[in-house]
Structure formats: C-alpha cells, structure tokens
Amino acid sequence: MKRRRAIVTGITGQDGSYLAEFLLEKGYQVYGMVRRSSSENFERIQHIMGDLELVQADLLDQLSIINIVKKVRPVEIYNLASQSFVPTSFEQPVLTGEFTALGVTRMLEAVKLVDRSIRFYQASTSEMFGMAPHSPQTLTTPLHPRSPYGVAKVYGHWITINYRESYKIYAVSGILFNHESPRRGKEFITRKITDAVARIKLGRQKELRLGNLEAKRDWGFAGDYVRAMWMMLQKPRPEDYIVATGESHSVREFAQIAFRHVGLDWKKYVVVDPSFYRPAEVHTLCGDPSKAKRKLKWNPKVSFRELVSMMVDADLELLSKP
Ligand code: NAP
Ligand code: F7E
C-alpha cells in the first residue's frame, strides 16, 4: 500500500526532528524541506536520516517551494520553518518578516496552485499574545505582539486563516506556547541554563549571565507538542487550537530547579546582565489548552519539573562523552 506523504519544513530544527520521528512511527513517508547550506546541520535528525527524504527549497524562494510540492504530492504539510529567535528579530526585522511572515504565504500559494486538498499546519505562537490583557490566554484573547518575530507570526496566523476562508483549504494554525527539550537551541533560555548547569557542575564554566529573571512562561515538552500538530490535521474540520500546559513559571524558578537538580545553589552562579534585556519584553504568558484537551484528547505527558531534570541530565550526558 502507498504510504501517506508529509512535507515538514524546518526539519533540522527542534520541532521538525520530533515531528519527523512521530510521523515515521505513524507510517508516513516523510519529506524534510532543507535550505542550501555550505555545511551540513543535520545533528537533530542524524539518527533517522536513513528513513527520511530531504528536498531542497527555501522559504524565500517561491518557485522552489512549488516545485517540491509538485514533486512530492503530499497529503499534509507542516510549516515549521521560520526565524524563531526573538532577539534576532530585533536585529534583523526585515529578514524575519520575509521568513516568518511572507514564507507562510509562499507555502500556502504552493498548496493553492498544486493541490487544494493538501492539509496545512502553521506553527503559530504564544508570542502573538505578547502583552496579554488577561491570563490564561485563549483563542479570543486580543493579540499584542512585542517583537518583530511576534508581529511576523501574527501575519502568518491570519494568512493561514485567510486561505482557509478564501479557498476552502484545510489550513490550521496551532498556537503553541514555549516548548523545550534536550534538542532546543542553546540560545533559548531553558537550554542556555541547562547547558550552563552541566558545564558548571563539571567545572568547565564559572558563571551564568542572564537577562530578565522575572519573565514567566508556560513551558512544555516539544515531544508532547508535535503530537498535537498531527492531531489537529486529523479532524474532519480545520480549526485553530492552543497548545500549552496551563502552568506558568519564572526564569528564576527554572534556574533554581536546574541548579538544585545537581546539588548547586543557583545564587552563587547566576549574574544578571542587562545586555540580555529586550527592547520590549513579554513579561508573562500562560495558555488555556482546554479546547485541545476536549476536542483532540491531547494531554501533555511531561511535567515542568520532569522537563527541567530531563534537560539537565541530557546536557550532563552530552558533555561527559569522551
Ligand atoms: P528552530 O529550532 O529554530 O528551527 C527553525 C527551522 O526553520 C530550522 O530547521 C531552520 O533551518 C528552518 N529555516 C529557517 N529559515 C529558513 C528558510 N529561509 N528556508 C527554509 N528553512 C528555514 O525552531 P523550533 O523551536 O523547532 O520551532 C518550530 C516552529 O514553531 C518555528 O516556526 C517557531 O517559530 C514555532 N514555534 C516554536 C515554539 C517553541 O517554543 N519552540 C513555540 C511556538 C511556535 P536551518 O537549520 O537551515 O537554520
Ligand atoms: O526567552 C528571558 C527572555 O528566548 C524566554 C521561541 O521559541 O518561545 C520562544 O521565545 C524568556 C524571555 O524564548 C535570558 O527575556 C532572560 O522573557 O527562551 P526564550 P521566547 O522569547 O519566549 C516562543 C513561544 C516562540 O515562538 C519563539 O520562537 O527568558 N530571558 N534571560 C532570556 N532569554 C534568553 N534567550 N537568554 C537570556 O539570557
């Protein structure tokens, strides 16, 4: 029997690698979209390279996207590629808009031109809520993004809804709150902390310089969140969902627990460095996942404390390898 085909953009990223594993287990033929690079960056998908097909295209290049969709003829497309680091979006706002906002339209145009029956998932984000007027955030909370990244994602969110309403394309937007894992990039706060904790424990680093310790986020495990992406595309009707844990914790709390996990006192190592403050901060986020729980039967399996321990342990193991 012919296997169902899916295209995953951003397959070399954190979520792309977990989603590819998940879809392979479900029996899909997985096509990962990668952009041309002078050196390979396949660390996160190294262990499944033999099971994947990689196709080359770029979010900036419309024709390359149309060509891969024509060639693969997938039943589902997961659009996970973007410039996803908030501080970089302040430094490179135009490029962030090209990737993270217009890139979505280029993907949707390819669906519209090649085959309107393709189901499309857009990776929306809690950063669209930004300065939220209430907590927890729901699908009706007004959007007030606080960075060029958040603004670009609002565009991606609405263009997805617009193609659904205009062309009857099965396009859904998953508004995912922060999700982390041992595969998280080291510039993001959780991995920056767990990598430093492991280095300090092993005597390879002396201090950890951080920005705003009071920022609060609703942190979950990436492996749980990619399951929700797939579930959203299996429903009879396309709808948007919030994926979150419903719990919020501060950066300070994350650091405390991570250091305590290896028997260290965070206060001795963490130094506040204002150079990590952002021009505009998102102070606190907490999502309401009740619709995903009710309609998708989705539930996170990894708790906040389990996530912190998992990431510290993974970094200790990684750094201890000969
Ligand atoms: P990530 O680790 O930063 O991965 C981003 C991916 O996008 C990488 O594979 C990157 O490829 C690719 N990419 C960037 N620019 C591209 C271009 N011009 N053409 C083709 N590919 C390009 O991000 P993530 O954490 O896995 O997040 C996945 C998606 O969910 C992103 O859209 C992110 O904005 C969104 N999101 C993330 C979270 C979260 O907490 N993780 C929450 C909500 C939404 P290279 O390897 O070549 O750079
Ligand atoms: O920051 C504070 C910082 O960079 C979290 C992306 O995946 O999730 C991510 O965006 C908080 C912020 O993630 C440092 O000010 C303090 O308040 O880990 P982060 P983010 O900005 O929430 C959303 C959902 C996405 O969609 C994005 O793609 O931590 N913070 N000190 C710091 N943050 C960093 N990176 N480094 C610090 O030293």
Side-chain angles (χ1 to χ4, degrees), residues 63-322:
L63 196 56
S64 68
I65 297 170
I66 293 171
N67 282 338
I68 64 160
V69 177
K70 268 189 189 159
K71 182 178 156 201
V72 174
R73 299 305 295 247
V75 290
E76 292 167 6
I77 294 180
Y78 296 85
N79 184 36
L80 308 187
S82 81
Q83 191 304 94
S84 75
F85 191 46
V86 171
T88 297
S89 80
F90 286 104
E91 303 300 325
Q92 301 176 5
V94 176
L95 191 63
T96 300
E98 284 286 352
F99 286 2
T100 306
L102 285 178
V104 187
T105 309
R106 295 188 188 102
M107 294 301 303
L108 285 163
E109 273 294 288
V111 171
K112 187 179 121 206
L113 283 167
V114 178
D115 176 1
R116 294 184 188 194
S117 74
I118 296 170
R119 295 191 171 199
F120 182 84
Y121 173 84
Q122 167 57 16
S124 287
T125 168
S126 49
E127 283 295 296
M128 300 189 308
F129 295 122
M131 188 93 100
H134 55 243
S135 186
Q137 290 82 52
T138 69
L139 285 164
T140 55
T141 301
L143 304 180
H144 183 159
R146 296 271 284 166
S147 63
Y149 168 76
V151 173
K153 281 287 186 181
V154 170
Y155 175 93
H157 177 68
W158 279 107
I159 201 72
T160 301
I161 294 171
N162 182 258
Y163 272 57
R164 177 167 83 214
E165 292 175 351
S166 306
Y167 309 115
K168 310 286 173 272
I169 290 170
Y170 190 115
V172 308
S173 167
I175 305 180
L176 272 54
F177 280 61
N178 298 52
H179 45 278
E180 320 293 313
S181 74
R183 297 183 203 163
R184 185 59 141 156
K186 284 184 190 165
E187 67 276 41
F188 297 93
I189 189 71
T190 55
R191 185 79 197 287
K192 182 173 172 181
I193 293 172
T194 61
D195 175 63
V197 165
R199 286 176 189 280
I200 290 168
K201 181 70 183 172
L202 297 172
R204 298 194 204 168
Q205 188 172 321
K206 292 209 165 4
E207 62 175 26
L208 169 59
R209 303 185 82 81
L210 298 178
N212 179 13
L213 301 182
E214 310 314 323
K216 292 178 93 178
R217 290 290 184 277
D218 179 333
W219 277 299
F221 171 52
D224 284 338
Y225 286 41
V226 299
R227 208 168 58 243
M229 296 175 186
W230 175 79
M231 287 170 156
M232 285 179 218
L233 293 198
Q234 312 312 309
K235 301 299 285 180
R237 284 193 316 119
E239 286 181 54
D240 305 326
Y241 294 86
I242 281 182
V243 180
T245 69
E247 263 182 48
S248 191
H249 300 271
S250 66
V251 169
R252 178 192 301 273
E253 223 178 315
F254 194 105
Q256 265 171 353
I257 297 173
F259 276 96
R260 198 182 305 141
H261 185 65
V262 295
L264 298 176
D265 178 3
W266 73 285
K267 286 200 210 97
K268 291 189 182 149
Y269 305 97
V270 172
V271 177
V272 172
D273 181 343
S275 71
F276 290 107
Y277 292 166
R278 297 175 181 185
E281 174 65 293
V282 171
H283 297 286
T284 176
L285 288 173
C286 183
D288 174 4
S290 53
K291 180 179 173 185
K293 288 190 174 182
R294 193 176 68 253
K295 288 198 149 179
L296 301 177
K297 309 281 176 243
W298 175 84
N299 270 296
K301 292 181 185 162
V302 177
S303 73
F304 176 67
R305 279 173 186 275
E306 285 167 345
L307 175 68
V308 181
S309 315
M310 175 207 294
M311 290 179 69
V312 174
D313 289 341
D315 275 321
L316 273 172
E317 197 186 320
L318 193 67
L319 288 165
S320 305
K321 276 187 190 153

